Amino acid sequence: MNEKQLRRSLAVLPIGTVIKLTSLSARQIRYYETQELVFPERSEGNRRMYSLNDIDRLLEIKDYLNDGFNMEGIRKVYAMKKAQAAAEESQKLSDADVRRMLRKELLNSGGMLEDNLTKLPRRRI
DNA sequence: ATTCTAACA
DNA sequence: TGTTAGCA
């Protein structure tokens, strides 16, 4: 796991901050946890601590709810996403591979990087 | 001041 | 889901 993903997975936000960031009530946020849709960590004093990924997850849940999904329905959505990820893993076509291929395409097909800019002919002003 | 669990008008 | 009670 790289630094960026590591930071996003760090549980450092108390529920009060999560409330402000998601516009969800404490009641809802805690309830979704009992429904096993989010899994916040716990601090020493038993306080729930959320990560940025948890924030994204809560916002997603919010959207699914607006689309008419119920708790178990949303749970199934994430179950499928997990199965999907496992399938891709077995096929060795991971997200990292996709990004690697895309970057190669961009570098060859023409041009938006500083390397190329420095090689362009100078123009007088 | 903030969050937690449990319970209910 | 909201709200309130009684703790930590």
Side-chain angles (χ1 to χ4, degrees):
Chain A
M1 204 181 268
N2 61 52
E3 311 287 319
K4 186 176 182 180
Q5 305 173 313
L6 182 66
R7 282 194 297 267
R8 291 191 59 74
S9 66
L10 284 182
V12 296
L13 311 172
I15 197 169
T17 301
V18 179
I19 291 173
K20 293 177 180 176
L21 259 30
T22 64
S23 295
L24 288 168
S25 67
R27 181 79 158 84
Q28 291 175 304
I29 296 170
R30 296 187 185 117
Y31 178 61
Y32 300 158
E33 180 182 359
T34 72
Q35 297 307 297
E36 299 183 272
L37 273 60
V38 285
F39 313 91
E41 293 178 20
R42 292 288 181 133
S43 69
E44 303 172 347
N46 196 38
R47 268 74 212 280
R48 271 170 269 251
M49 298 300 281
Y50 301 83
S51 70
L52 293 176
N53 284 328
D54 291 327
I55 299 298
D56 290 336
R57 169 67 70 97
L58 287 168
L59 292 174
E60 279 184 7
I61 294 171
K62 209 175 168 186
D63 291 334
Y64 284 127
L65 254 27
N66 286 324
D67 289 340
F69 286 77
N70 54 40
M71 299 296 113
E72 49 184 293
I74 297 175
R75 221 175 319 169
K76 291 183 178 180
V77 170
Y78 289 122
M80 298 194 82
K81 176 186 289 185
K82 182 178 180 180
Q84 166 70 30
E88 292 185 344
E89 169 58 30
S90 65
Q91 292 175 28
K92 290 190 174 181
L93 195 61
S94 65
D95 288 354
D97 291 320
V98 175
R99 274 188 282 100
R100 192 174 304 119
M101 294 172 72
L102 177 58
R103 184 188 54 139
K104 184 176 181 179
E105 284 305 308
L106 293 175
L107 285 173
N108 294 333
S109 70
M112 68 294 293
L113 266 25
E114 299 176 37
D115 256 25
N116 298 309
L117 291 175
T118 60
K119 292 176 183 174
L120 290 176
R122 287 290 161 205
R123 178 178 304 195
R124 285 184 19 180
I125 302 176

